[in-house]
Amino acid sequence: MADPQKKWVSDDVLTYAYLLLYIALSSGQIFFNKWVLSSKEINFPYPLGLTLLHMVFSSILCFVLTKVLKIMKVEEGMTLDIYISSIIPIGAMFAMTLWLGNTAYLYISVSFAQMLKAIMPVAVFILGVAAGLEVMSCRMLLIMSVISFGVLVASYGEIDINWVGVVYQMGGVVGEALRLIFMEILVKRKGLKLNPISVMYYVSPCSALCLLIPWIFLEKPKMDEQRTWSFQPPILTLNSLCTFALNLSVFLVIQHTSALTIRVAGVVKDWVVVLLSAILFADTKLTLINLFGYAIAIAGVAAYNNHKLKNQTSRASSDESEPTQSIPLVQSSNSNE
């Protein structure tokens, strides 16, 4: 009896360790990106360039890990038709999400950006209904209304609101919602199951290419003209490595728990980011209206997660042979990373 109990305790501790690792890496990456983009010491206000660097680094590292060192495995079954119809749209939306989300940090505070991201389930649900992946119901309408109302209240309480930053952040939210819809279509309609490392292997090069084109026209001329910026390889390499580590932490959490667990952990992470940003950044001034509205939105997100859990449980009981979902329907990295 002692050995099974000891194993259960060790597995439980390991699971919580992975969850804490994910929360720490995800929160830290958000602050790291904000610092790199806004800090006068780094002087690298180029969100497209930073995101492009992340994707190139991820592409190279995925290739080394899977094809050279063969530490990790890429799932089989990818065809040219699936790549063109699913992977390219996913890569394009992922690039859009990271680009717009990171650009928002140049205009709004980290905490307000996190509050706006609470609207994500609403965007995913609306697009899911349009794509035939979700079913409209009174309960879901109520949940979506609660989340939307909470975000509106939180936005109303923002002291120094910058609408340019809001537009960028909401554009990133739409991009992330579209990415999740395309991923769900890939799983449900194409029947291809990919673990996160496989998704990174296929999507990262596509995202890098999608980012390279606008970078050449939008940011490269500025970087050539304004020679005041300095490329610091150690810091930018460490930033890219942290992004990759965040993706791997998502993989570990889902492997030991579920995609829903990491969504719940994401809610905890959002609160950590909001509160820490108020301490670390001078541009963050939280008001009671901010916190009240965000609490309402998070309550709606919790209700949404609970509803999705019940649906997953009912589907699993009706079809025991259905495999566990392996693609995380949550912003990683990375989403604004």
Side-chain angles (χ1 to χ4, degrees), residues 7-19:
K7 184 177 184 303
W8 180 83
V9 172
S10 63
D11 288 343
D12 199 39
V13 171
L14 189 63
T15 298
Y16 281 109
Y18 285 140
L19 284 171

Side-chain angles (χ1 to χ4, degrees), residues 20 22-32 34 109-112 114-115 267-286 291 294:
L20 290 175
Y22 161 72
I23 293 173
L25 285 174
S26 185
S27 304
Q29 189 61 32
I30 290 172
F31 293 129
F32 201 171
K34 171 72 173 179
S109 66
V110 172
S111 62
F112 188 45
Q114 294 302 118
M115 291 178 187
V267 173
V268 177
K269 179 264 299 182
D270 289 342
W271 271 111
V272 171
V273 170
V274 168
L275 296 178
L276 283 181
S277 64
I279 300 173
L280 297 176
F281 295 108
D283 65 346
T284 301
K285 297 177 182 179
L286 295 178
L291 296 176
Y294 190 51

Side-chain angles (χ1 to χ4, degrees), residues 293-309:
Y294 190 51
I296 294 174
I298 290 300
V301 172
Y304 172 79
N305 288 336
N306 182 61
H307 181 75
K308 298 294 288 185
L309 175 61

